[in-house]
Amino acid sequence: MQQITPERVLDELAGIAFADLSAEPPPPIKVADKLRALELIYKYLGLGEGSGAEEGVVIVDEAPTKGETG
């Protein structure tokens, strides 16, 4: 019996999430399975709500004026 570890679970989820459904023969994985696996990985990585992801990054694509340099 193999041990259940976070790494093993994540590897299994990644295998489902990134399976190539156009391969011949196609793997026995549905699109819904892929989406659920991606959702679980997303949450595991802390990319969901409450992770601080709401903090935005502002990128200004303008050259500073004379008064703003320095």
Side-chain angles (χ1 to χ4, degrees):
M1 182 173 172
Q2 293 185 353
Q3 238 183 349
I4 298 172
T5 63
E7 294 81 17
R8 183 169 174 225
V9 172
L10 194 58
D11 283 345
E12 291 290 328
L13 285 171
I16 295 167
F18 301 111
D20 182 5
L21 298 183
S22 65
E24 289 292 329
I29 296 172
K30 301 174 189 160
V31 172
D33 298 332
K34 289 177 63 79
L35 291 174
R36 180 65 178 148
L38 285 168
E39 178 184 4
L40 292 170
I41 292 169
Y42 180 84
K43 288 180 179 179
Y44 176 81
L45 294 175
L47 301 173
E49 290 183 32
S51 67
E54 295 84 12
E55 297 177 18
V57 175
V58 178
I59 299 174
V60 178
D61 193 18
E62 297 176 10
T65 61
K66 286 185 179 181
E68 294 176 337
T69 58

